[in-house]
C-alpha cells in the first residue's frame, strides 16, 4: 500500500515526497542526539554550525549577497527539418546527352512513320497493277538506302553529295518482278571508283557522272546462290529523256573451300548513246572467318565512250564486330581512248559502323589519289569523306 501524506492544500502527496521529508527529519534529529552526547563545548558549537549549514544552505548565500537564479523550464522544441538538397544545374555534357536522346526519339518516330508510309504506297501500287489470284503467298516489300556525303579536300573545300537507291518487290504483279530506283546528285565528281551496279547504263562507267537519276523494271529469270540472270527496261531521267534496255548474267565458280571467282556480263542499249557492254571479274579469298581479300575489275565499252573504260581494285575487308568493319584498298583506273591509258591511282580506307539505331550507319573514308593532269603529271591529292546512311526497309505482314 502506497504511503501518502496530507499537504497543507488538502491534497495527497506521493510517497516519494513523504520519503524525502522523513529523511530531512530523521538525519537532523540523529545529528542533534549525536551533539548532545559530546561534552566538549567547542565540539558542540562546531557540529551545530555544520547542522545549520546543511539545513539552511540559502542562508549563507543570502548573507554573501549571492542568489541562485531560478531555473526556467523550457519546453523541448521539435527537431528542425533537414535542409533541402541543393539544386544541381545540369552540366554541359549532360545537356548534350539529353539533347541527343530527345533527338534520337524524334528521329525514331520520324523514321518509323516514313517507313510505314513508303510501304503503304508500295502496297497500293502493287495492288493497283497486280492480282490476288496467285495461290502462293504474296507479300510486297522494299529496301531503300539513302546516303549523304561530305567530302573535304586538301584545299579545305567541302563537297556535298547524296545517293538514293531503292529496290521494290512487286509480288502481286509477279514474284520475279523488281522495280529499282537510283539517284546520285554530286556537286562535283569524286575520285574514280568501281560502280556499285556494274552494267547499269546510268552507273556503268568508272568515272562517276553528276546528277544521275534512273528507274528500271527488272524481271528475274534465274536467282540462285551461284547464278543470277535478269532483263530490265528503264528510263534515264536526264534531259533529254532516254530509254535503255539491258540483260545481265552472273555466275560464281567455286575454286576451293575458301576462294571463288565471280564473272558477270551485261549488254545494254541506250537511246542516243548506242550499244554497250560491261564485264566484271572478281576473285575472292577468305583469309579467316572475319577477313576477306578481293580483287575486282570492271570494264565498259560503248559507242558513247569510244573506247574501253576500266578500273581495278585490290581490297582487304575485315569485320571488327557485328556492328563495324574496315576496308583498306588500292585502285587504278584508266581509259583506252587516252594516250597514256591510266587516268588515276587511288589508295583509301573505309570504316563503317552501325550506331544508335539498327537503321543508321556512318562511314569515314580517308583517301590519297594521283589524278593525271593535262601536262601528264600526277600530283598528290588528299581528301576525307564523311558518309551517313539511313536504311528504310518494309515488308507486308503475313495475313
Amino acid at each position: 500500500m502506497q504511503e501518502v501524506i496530507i499537504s497543507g492544500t488538502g491534497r495527497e502527496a506521493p510517497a516519494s515526497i513523504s520519503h524525502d521529508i522523513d529523511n530531512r527529519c530523521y538525519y537532523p534529529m540523529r545529528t542533534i542526539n549525536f551533539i548532545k552526547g559530546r561534552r566538549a563545548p567547542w565540539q558542540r558549537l562546531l557540529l551545530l554550525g555544520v547542522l545549520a549549514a546543511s539545513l539552511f544552505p540559502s542562508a549563507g548565500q543570502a548573507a554573501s549577497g549571492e542568489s541562485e537564479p531560478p531555473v526556467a523550464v523550457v519546453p523541448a522544441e521539435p527537431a528542425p527539418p533537414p535542409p533541402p538538397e541543393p539544386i544541381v544545374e545540369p552540366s554541359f555534357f549532360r545537356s548534350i546527352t539529353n539533347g541527343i536522346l530527345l533527338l534520337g526519339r524524334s528521329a525514331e518516330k520520324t523514321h518509323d512513320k516514313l517507313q510505314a508510309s513508303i510501304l503503304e504506297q508500295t502496297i497500293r501500287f502493287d495492288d493497283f497493277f497486280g492480282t490476288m489470284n496467285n495461290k502462293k503467298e504474296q507479300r510486297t516489300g522494299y529496301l531503300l538506302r539513302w546516303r549523304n556525303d561530305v567530302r573535304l579536300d586538301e584545299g579545305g573545300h567541302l563537297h556535298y553529295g547524296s545517293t538514293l537507291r531503292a529496290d521494290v518487290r512487286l509480288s502481286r504483279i509477279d514474284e520475279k518482278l523488281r522495280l529499282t530506283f537510283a539517284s546520285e546528285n554530286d556537286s562535283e565528281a569524286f575520285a574514280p571508283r568501281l560502280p556499285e551496279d556494274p552494267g547499269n547504263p546510268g552507273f556503268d562507267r568508272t568515272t562517276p557522272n553528276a546528277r544521275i537519276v534512273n528507274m528500271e523494271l527488272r524481271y528475274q529469270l534465274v536467282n540462285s546462290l551461284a547464278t543470277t540472270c535478269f532483263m530490265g527496261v528503264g528510263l534515264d531521267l536526264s534531259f533529254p529523256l532516254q530509254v535503255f534496255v539491258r540483260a545481265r548474267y552472273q555466275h560464281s565458280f567455286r575454286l576451293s573451300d575458301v576462294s571463288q571467282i565471280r564473272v558477270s556480263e551485261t549488254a545494254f542499249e541506250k537511246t542516243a548513246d548506242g550499244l554497250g557492254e560491261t564485264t566484271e571479274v572478281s576473285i575472292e579469298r577468305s583469309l579467316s572467318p572475319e577477313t576477306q581479300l578481293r580483287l575486282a575489275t570492271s570494264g565498259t565499252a560503248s559507242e558513247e565512250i569510244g573506247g574501253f573504260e576500266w578500273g581495278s581494285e585490290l581490297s582487304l575487308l575485315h569485320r571488327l564486330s557485328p556492328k563495324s568493319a574496315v576496308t583498306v584498298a588500292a585502285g587504278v583506273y584508266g581509259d583506252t581512248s587516252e594516250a597514256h591509258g591510266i587516268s588515276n591511282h587511288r589508295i583509301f580506307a573505309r570504316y563503317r559502323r552501325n550506331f544508335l539505331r539498327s537503321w543508321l550507319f556512318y562511314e569515314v573514308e580517308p583517301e590519297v589519289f594521283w589524278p593525271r593532269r593535262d601536262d601528264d603529271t600526277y600530283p598528290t591529292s588528299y581528301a576525307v569523306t564523311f558518309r551517313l546512311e539511313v536504311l528504310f526497309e518494309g515488308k507486308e505482314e503475313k495475313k
Side-chain angles (χ1 to χ4, degrees), residues 144-258:
L144 187 148
R145 295 180 180 275
W146 179 30
R147 295 181 178 178
N148 292 275
D149 301 334
V150 179
R151 183 170 182 261
L152 177 66
D153 59 22
E154 71 276 6
H157 304 96
L158 292 176
H159 308 276
Y160 303 94
S162 181
T163 301
L164 183 66
R165 295 181 182 273
D167 186 4
V168 181
R169 178 184 177 184
L170 303 174
S171 60
R172 289 191 176 90
I173 301 176
D174 196 295
E175 291 184 351
K176 298 182 178 181
L177 202 60
R178 298 288 189 275
L179 178 65
T180 65
F181 177 85
S183 172
E184 280 192 4
N185 185 10
D186 297 338
S187 59
E188 186 174 328
F190 292 177
R193 61 189 185 276
L194 292 183
E196 295 185 18
D197 185 8
N200 189 324
F203 300 94
D204 56 347
R205 303 177 62 177
T206 55
T207 302
N209 299 322
R211 298 177 178 84
I212 299 176
V213 180
N214 65 66
M215 184 180 297
E216 183 182 14
L217 190 62
R218 301 176 182 177
Y219 187 79
Q220 202 81 26
L221 299 174
V222 181
N223 187 16
S224 64
L225 186 61
T227 305
T228 59
C229 180
F230 70 85
M231 299 184 65
V233 56
L235 294 175
D236 185 352
L237 304 179
S238 58
F239 186 80
L241 189 69
Q242 298 189 57
V243 180
F244 64 87
V245 294
R246 68 163 168 166
R248 177 178 172 84
Y249 176 83
Q250 176 179 296
H251 185 76
S252 298
F253 300 91
R254 182 178 178 181
L255 303 178
S256 67
D257 293 340
V258 295

Side-chain angles (χ1 to χ4, degrees), residues 33-302:
N33 294 333
F34 175 75
I35 293 172
K36 289 181 180 179
R38 300 296 178 183
R39 298 186 179 174
W42 63 272
Q43 293 179 352
R44 294 180 181 180
L45 292 176
L46 179 60
L47 291 175
L48 285 175
V50 172
L51 177 62
S54 62
L55 291 177
F56 307 101
S58 59
Q61 295 179 358
S64 61
E66 296 180 2
S67 61
E68 190 175 295
V71 179
V73 180
V74 180
E77 297 181 358
E85 296 182 359
I87 300 177
V88 180
E89 295 293 334
S91 63
F92 176 73
F93 295 102
R94 186 178 300 176
S95 301
I96 292 180
T97 304
N98 294 337
I100 292 176
L101 293 176
L102 293 176
L103 183 61
R105 296 190 190 99
S106 177
E108 182 78 22
K109 293 180 180 178
T110 304
H111 176 271
D112 292 344
K113 186 179 296 184
L114 288 175
Q115 188 167 258
S117 177
I118 296 173
L119 179 60
E120 181 181 356
Q121 298 302 325
T122 304
I123 294 174
R124 287 183 180 179
F125 181 85
D126 199 12
D127 284 338
F128 183 79
F129 290 98
T131 61
M132 294 297 294
N133 297 326
N134 195 341
K135 295 181 180 180
K136 296 182 179 180
E137 181 184 2
Q138 297 175 328
R139 288 194 289 173
T140 304
Y142 76 94
L143 177 64
L144 187 148
R145 295 180 180 275
W146 179 30
R147 295 181 178 178
N148 292 275
D149 301 334
V150 179
R151 183 170 182 261
L152 177 66
D153 59 22
E154 71 276 6
H157 304 96
L158 292 176
H159 308 276
Y160 303 94
S162 181
T163 301
L164 183 66
R165 295 181 182 273
D167 186 4
V168 181
R169 178 184 177 184
L170 303 174
S171 60
R172 289 191 176 90
I173 301 176
D174 196 295
E175 291 184 351
K176 298 182 178 181
L177 202 60
R178 298 288 189 275
L179 178 65
T180 65
F181 177 85
S183 172
E184 280 192 4
N185 185 10
D186 297 338
S187 59
E188 186 174 328
F190 292 177
R193 61 189 185 276
L194 292 183
E196 295 185 18
D197 185 8
N200 189 324
F203 300 94
D204 56 347
R205 303 177 62 177
T206 55
T207 302
N209 299 322
R211 298 177 178 84
I212 299 176
V213 180
N214 65 66
M215 184 180 297
E216 183 182 14
L217 190 62
R218 301 176 182 177
Y219 187 79
Q220 202 81 26
L221 299 174
V222 181
N223 187 16
S224 64
L225 186 61
T227 305
T228 59
C229 180
F230 70 85
M231 299 184 65
V233 56
L235 294 175
D236 185 352
L237 304 179
S238 58
F239 186 80
L241 189 69
Q242 298 189 57
V243 180
F244 64 87
V245 294
R246 68 163 168 166
R248 177 178 172 84
Y249 176 83
Q250 176 179 296
H251 185 76
S252 298
F253 300 91
R254 182 178 178 181
L255 303 178
S256 67
D257 293 340
V258 295
S259 61
Q260 70 173 4
I261 180 171
R262 186 173 63 246
V263 180
S264 63
E265 185 69 27
T266 304
F268 62 89
E269 182 176 6
K270 191 175 181 179
T271 58
D273 291 338
L275 295 171
E277 67 86 23
T278 297
T279 302
E280 182 189 20
V281 179
S282 177
I283 304 174
E284 301 173 352
R285 180 178 178 83
S286 177
L287 303 180
S288 71
E290 309 293 336
T291 308
Q292 185 183 63
L293 185 65
R294 176 187 299 166
L295 175 62
T297 302
S298 176
T300 299
S302 68

